[in-house]
Amino acid sequence: MNSNGVVEWAVVESDIGPLLLAATDSGLVSVVFHARPAVRDRALAQLRSRLGAELVESPGSARLAEPIRQFAAYFAGTLRDFSLDLDWSLTSGFNRQVLRELSAGVPYGAVAGYGDLAERVGQPGAAQAVGAAMGSNPLPVVVPCHRVVERDGGLGGFGGGLETKRRLLALEGVLPQPLF
């Protein structure tokens, strides 16, 4: 739990719609897709209950300045690697292990299969559990679960929706840009 019990958050526009970014004094703790009011309010209620923290909307916050800058640069195509302090407190155990491996080991412009990631964390055969870990990822885009795809070339699932996954992979040059 962060020392002062405050989570600062802001909603920022992006090429894939509004994103809610939330940070503790340890780092970025949550990224939420499609953060229109109903989704945003549900996400904030979950953060409040899971972190036991006070939530403060703070778009000008020093804590959020660098995440906001890096997201803008990523969508502009000028940033390939996020270098942010991350607060991993919303994930633990196997999920955290898989997400950390994904973060460290699957660079911009690359993809990995669910089974590949399971093997990398020493759990061959745990591809479905890897899928669940991707679905629980509290830090999408920064921890690039959009880069995890099915072995047969299918996109696999995605918490932000397949259209969002397609657009992120197109931005990174893995898929052709959509024609319209």
Side-chain angles (χ1 to χ4, degrees):
M1 181 63 223
N2 50 341
S3 56
N4 62 1
V6 172
V7 175
E8 294 178 333
W9 65 274
V11 173
V12 296
E13 285 305 320
S14 79
D15 290 13
I16 54 171
L19 296 173
L20 182 143
L21 306 181
T24 65
D25 54 9
S26 301
L28 191 66
V29 71
S30 180
V31 176
V32 178
F33 291 118
H34 314 303
R36 292 173 195 90
V39 169
R40 178 198 68 207
D41 293 348
R42 195 164 54 243
L44 292 172
Q46 282 179 332
L47 278 174
R48 193 174 292 113
S49 77
R50 290 191 60 196
L51 295 172
E54 181 190 347
L55 273 65
V56 178
E57 184 172 13
S58 188
S61 136
R63 266 186 213 173
L64 291 171
E66 195 54 19
I68 289 170
R69 188 193 72 73
Q70 289 192 28
F71 268 89
Y74 171 82
F75 286 110
T78 59
L79 179 91
R80 291 178 164 226
D81 295 304
F82 287 91
S83 55
L84 296 170
D85 290 330
L86 301 178
D87 178 334
W88 293 92
S89 59
L90 292 175
T91 183
S92 61
F94 178 78
N95 288 1
R96 184 186 293 194
Q97 194 185 359
V98 169
L99 292 169
R100 283 184 175 274
E101 175 57 37
L102 169 64
S103 188
V106 185
Y108 187 99
V111 292
Y114 295 93
D116 300 336
L117 270 180
E119 282 175 30
R120 289 189 199 189
V121 297
Q123 299 282 336
Q128 276 192 303
V130 167
M134 296 304 107
S136 74
N137 180 7
L139 294 161
V141 186
V142 180
V143 177
C145 54
H146 60 277
R147 296 182 192 149
V148 181
V149 296
E150 291 173 352
R151 181 176 292 135
D152 64 9
L155 281 180
F158 193 60
L162 286 183
E163 186 52 37
T164 300
K165 185 171 190 172
R166 210 174 276 118
R167 289 173 68 176
L168 290 168
L169 290 171
L171 172 71
E172 295 186 6
V174 175
L175 290 176
Q177 287 286 351
L179 295 174
F180 42 81

PDB file of all heavy atoms in Angstrom, residues 158-175:
ATOM      1  N   PHE A 158      -8.741 -10.001 -25.991  1.00  0.00           N
ATOM      2  CA  PHE A 158      -8.143  -8.745 -25.543  1.00  0.00           C
ATOM      3  C   PHE A 158      -9.159  -7.960 -24.749  1.00  0.00           C
ATOM      4  O   PHE A 158     -10.277  -7.727 -25.227  1.00  0.00           O
ATOM      5  CB  PHE A 158      -7.676  -7.920 -26.749  1.00  0.00           C
ATOM      6  CG  PHE A 158      -6.788  -6.768 -26.369  1.00  0.00           C
ATOM      7  CD1 PHE A 158      -5.588  -6.987 -25.718  1.00  0.00           C
ATOM      8  CD2 PHE A 158      -7.159  -5.472 -26.650  1.00  0.00           C
ATOM      9  CE1 PHE A 158      -4.771  -5.922 -25.356  1.00  0.00           C
ATOM     10  CE2 PHE A 158      -6.342  -4.402 -26.302  1.00  0.00           C
ATOM     11  CZ  PHE A 158      -5.142  -4.638 -25.658  1.00  0.00           C
ATOM     12  N   GLY A 159      -8.765  -7.568 -23.540  1.00  0.00           N
ATOM     13  CA  GLY A 159      -9.682  -6.839 -22.670  1.00  0.00           C
ATOM     14  C   GLY A 159     -10.181  -5.539 -23.273  1.00  0.00           C
ATOM     15  O   GLY A 159     -11.281  -5.100 -22.991  1.00  0.00           O
ATOM     16  N   GLY A 160      -9.360  -4.927 -24.110  1.00  0.00           N
ATOM     17  CA  GLY A 160      -9.749  -3.655 -24.726  1.00  0.00           C
ATOM     18  C   GLY A 160     -10.562  -3.844 -25.994  1.00  0.00           C
ATOM     19  O   GLY A 160     -10.915  -2.866 -26.651  1.00  0.00           O
ATOM     20  N   GLY A 161     -10.826  -5.108 -26.361  1.00  0.00           N
ATOM     21  CA  GLY A 161     -11.550  -5.394 -27.606  1.00  0.00           C
ATOM     22  C   GLY A 161     -10.574  -5.664 -28.738  1.00  0.00           C
ATOM     23  O   GLY A 161      -9.467  -5.118 -28.771  1.00  0.00           O
ATOM     24  N   LEU A 162     -10.991  -6.520 -29.674  1.00  0.00           N
ATOM     25  CA  LEU A 162     -10.070  -6.919 -30.752  1.00  0.00           C
ATOM     26  C   LEU A 162      -9.713  -5.759 -31.666  1.00  0.00           C
ATOM     27  O   LEU A 162      -8.610  -5.705 -32.195  1.00  0.00           O
ATOM     28  CB  LEU A 162     -10.671  -8.066 -31.565  1.00  0.00           C
ATOM     29  CG  LEU A 162     -10.640  -9.410 -30.831  1.00  0.00           C
ATOM     30  CD1 LEU A 162     -11.187 -10.513 -31.718  1.00  0.00           C
ATOM     31  CD2 LEU A 162      -9.230  -9.758 -30.371  1.00  0.00           C
ATOM     32  N   GLU A 163     -10.625  -4.824 -31.864  1.00  0.00           N
ATOM     33  CA  GLU A 163     -10.313  -3.676 -32.713  1.00  0.00           C
ATOM     34  C   GLU A 163      -9.166  -2.864 -32.104  1.00  0.00           C
ATOM     35  O   GLU A 163      -8.252  -2.423 -32.801  1.00  0.00           O
ATOM     36  CB  GLU A 163     -11.564  -2.808 -32.914  1.00  0.00           C
ATOM     37  CG  GLU A 163     -11.368  -1.670 -33.892  1.00  0.00           C
ATOM     38  CD  GLU A 163     -10.793  -2.116 -35.242  1.00  0.00           C
ATOM     39  OE1 GLU A 163     -11.138  -3.205 -35.741  1.00  0.00           O
ATOM     40  OE2 GLU A 163      -9.970  -1.349 -35.795  1.00  0.00           O
ATOM     41  N   THR A 164      -9.189  -2.700 -30.794  1.00  0.00           N
ATOM     42  CA  THR A 164      -8.113  -1.981 -30.108  1.00  0.00           C
ATOM     43  C   THR A 164      -6.799  -2.746 -30.253  1.00  0.00           C
ATOM     44  O   THR A 164      -5.755  -2.160 -30.555  1.00  0.00           O
ATOM     45  CB  THR A 164      -8.473  -1.798 -28.621  1.00  0.00           C
ATOM     46  OG1 THR A 164      -9.681  -1.040 -28.547  1.00  0.00           O
ATOM     47  CG2 THR A 164      -7.373  -1.078 -27.863  1.00  0.00           C
ATOM     48  N   LYS A 165      -6.835  -4.066 -30.075  1.00  0.00           N
ATOM     49  CA  LYS A 165      -5.629  -4.888 -30.208  1.00  0.00           C
ATOM     50  C   LYS A 165      -5.071  -4.757 -31.623  1.00  0.00           C
ATOM     51  O   LYS A 165      -3.865  -4.572 -31.811  1.00  0.00           O
ATOM     52  CB  LYS A 165      -5.965  -6.352 -29.896  1.00  0.00           C
ATOM     53  CG  LYS A 165      -4.763  -7.286 -29.892  1.00  0.00           C
ATOM     54  CD  LYS A 165      -5.146  -8.668 -29.353  1.00  0.00           C
ATOM     55  CE  LYS A 165      -3.939  -9.550 -29.114  1.00  0.00           C
ATOM     56  NZ  LYS A 165      -4.294 -10.793 -28.419  1.00  0.00           N
ATOM     57  N   ARG A 166      -5.955  -4.810 -32.613  1.00  0.00           N
ATOM     58  CA  ARG A 166      -5.546  -4.689 -34.010  1.00  0.00           C
ATOM     59  C   ARG A 166      -4.861  -3.340 -34.246  1.00  0.00           C
ATOM     60  O   ARG A 166      -3.831  -3.257 -34.913  1.00  0.00           O
ATOM     61  CB  ARG A 166      -6.793  -4.823 -34.901  1.00  0.00           C
ATOM     62  CG  ARG A 166      -6.533  -5.414 -36.244  1.00  0.00           C
ATOM     63  CD  ARG A 166      -7.835  -5.658 -37.027  1.00  0.00           C
ATOM     64  NE  ARG A 166      -8.453  -6.927 -36.680  1.00  0.00           N
ATOM     65  CZ  ARG A 166      -9.663  -7.078 -36.127  1.00  0.00           C
ATOM     66  NH1 ARG A 166     -10.413  -6.038 -35.848  1.00  0.00           N
ATOM     67  NH2 ARG A 166     -10.120  -8.270 -35.851  1.00  0.00           N
ATOM     68  N   ARG A 167      -5.428  -2.275 -33.688  1.00  0.00           N
ATOM     69  CA  ARG A 167      -4.870  -0.941 -33.909  1.00  0.00           C
ATOM     70  C   ARG A 167      -3.505  -0.782 -33.241  1.00  0.00           C
ATOM     71  O   ARG A 167      -2.608  -0.146 -33.796  1.00  0.00           O
ATOM     72  CB  ARG A 167      -5.854   0.125 -33.438  1.00  0.00           C
ATOM     73  CG  ARG A 167      -7.041   0.176 -34.404  1.00  0.00           C
ATOM     74  CD  ARG A 167      -8.162   1.059 -33.969  1.00  0.00           C
ATOM     75  NE  ARG A 167      -7.784   2.459 -33.988  1.00  0.00           N
ATOM     76  CZ  ARG A 167      -8.648   3.430 -33.706  1.00  0.00           C
ATOM     77  NH1 ARG A 167      -9.889   3.134 -33.399  1.00  0.00           N
ATOM     78  NH2 ARG A 167      -8.249   4.677 -33.734  1.00  0.00           N
ATOM     79  N   LEU A 168      -3.341  -1.365 -32.045  1.00  0.00           N
ATOM     80  CA  LEU A 168      -2.034  -1.295 -31.381  1.00  0.00           C
ATOM     81  C   LEU A 168      -0.985  -2.075 -32.167  1.00  0.00           C
ATOM     82  O   LEU A 168       0.150  -1.609 -32.338  1.00  0.00           O
ATOM     83  CB  LEU A 168      -2.143  -1.834 -29.948  1.00  0.00           C
ATOM     84  CG  LEU A 168      -2.941  -0.954 -28.982  1.00  0.00           C
ATOM     85  CD1 LEU A 168      -3.235  -1.709 -27.691  1.00  0.00           C
ATOM     86  CD2 LEU A 168      -2.210   0.354 -28.695  1.00  0.00           C
ATOM     87  N   LEU A 169      -1.348  -3.252 -32.669  1.00  0.00           N
ATOM     88  CA  LEU A 169      -0.393  -4.050 -33.452  1.00  0.00           C
ATOM     89  C   LEU A 169      -0.077  -3.375 -34.783  1.00  0.00           C
ATOM     90  O   LEU A 169       1.053  -3.451 -35.272  1.00  0.00           O
ATOM     91  CB  LEU A 169      -0.922  -5.473 -33.655  1.00  0.00           C
ATOM     92  CG  LEU A 169      -0.932  -6.324 -32.379  1.00  0.00           C
ATOM     93  CD1 LEU A 169      -1.674  -7.636 -32.610  1.00  0.00           C
ATOM     94  CD2 LEU A 169       0.488  -6.591 -31.881  1.00  0.00           C
ATOM     95  N   ALA A 170      -1.049  -2.685 -35.356  1.00  0.00           N
ATOM     96  CA  ALA A 170      -0.799  -1.932 -36.593  1.00  0.00           C
ATOM     97  C   ALA A 170       0.139  -0.760 -36.312  1.00  0.00           C
ATOM     98  O   ALA A 170       1.086  -0.507 -37.074  1.00  0.00           O
ATOM     99  CB  ALA A 170      -2.117  -1.450 -37.202  1.00  0.00           C
ATOM    100  N   LEU A 171      -0.092  -0.057 -35.212  1.00  0.00           N
ATOM    101  CA  LEU A 171       0.781   1.053 -34.823  1.00  0.00           C
ATOM    102  C   LEU A 171       2.225   0.576 -34.702  1.00  0.00           C
ATOM    103  O   LEU A 171       3.161   1.270 -35.096  1.00  0.00           O
ATOM    104  CB  LEU A 171       0.311   1.641 -33.481  1.00  0.00           C
ATOM    105  CG  LEU A 171       1.224   2.693 -32.837  1.00  0.00           C
ATOM    106  CD1 LEU A 171       1.173   3.995 -33.618  1.00  0.00           C
ATOM    107  CD2 LEU A 171       0.850   2.930 -31.390  1.00  0.00           C
ATOM    108  N   GLU A 172       2.411  -0.642 -34.171  1.00  0.00           N
ATOM    109  CA  GLU A 172       3.753  -1.182 -33.959  1.00  0.00           C
ATOM    110  C   GLU A 172       4.304  -1.876 -35.208  1.00  0.00           C
ATOM    111  O   GLU A 172       5.405  -2.428 -35.173  1.00  0.00           O
ATOM    112  CB  GLU A 172       3.742  -2.148 -32.771  1.00  0.00           C
ATOM    113  CG  GLU A 172       3.407  -1.434 -31.470  1.00  0.00           C
ATOM    114  CD  GLU A 172       3.532  -2.321 -30.241  1.00  0.00           C
ATOM    115  OE1 GLU A 172       3.992  -3.470 -30.358  1.00  0.00           O
ATOM    116  OE2 GLU A 172       3.173  -1.839 -29.151  1.00  0.00           O
ATOM    117  N   GLY A 173       3.538  -1.867 -36.303  1.00  0.00           N
ATOM    118  CA  GLY A 173       4.038  -2.423 -37.559  1.00  0.00           C
ATOM    119  C   GLY A 173       3.921  -3.931 -37.667  1.00  0.00           C
ATOM    120  O   GLY A 173       4.461  -4.528 -38.588  1.00  0.00           O
ATOM    121  N   VAL A 174       3.227  -4.575 -36.718  1.00  0.00           N
ATOM    122  CA  VAL A 174       3.073  -6.026 -36.754  1.00  0.00           C
ATOM    123  C   VAL A 174       1.984  -6.398 -37.754  1.00  0.00           C
ATOM    124  O   VAL A 174       2.091  -7.385 -38.475  1.00  0.00           O
ATOM    125  CB  VAL A 174       2.699  -6.576 -35.354  1.00  0.00           C
ATOM    126  CG1 VAL A 174       2.414  -8.073 -35.412  1.00  0.00           C
ATOM    127  CG2 VAL A 174       3.823  -6.290 -34.360  1.00  0.00           C
ATOM    128  N   LEU A 175       0.938  -5.601 -37.803  1.00  0.00           N
ATOM    129  CA  LEU A 175      -0.167  -5.804 -38.746  1.00  0.00           C
ATOM    130  C   LEU A 175      -0.211  -4.624 -39.685  1.00  0.00           C
ATOM    131  O   LEU A 175       0.191  -3.519 -39.312  1.00  0.00           O
ATOM    132  CB  LEU A 175      -1.509  -5.850 -37.992  1.00  0.00           C
ATOM    133  CG  LEU A 175      -1.793  -7.060 -37.126  1.00  0.00           C
ATOM    134  CD1 LEU A 175      -3.118  -6.859 -36.385  1.00  0.00           C
ATOM    135  CD2 LEU A 175      -1.874  -8.314 -37.973  1.00  0.00           C
TER     136      LEU A 175
END
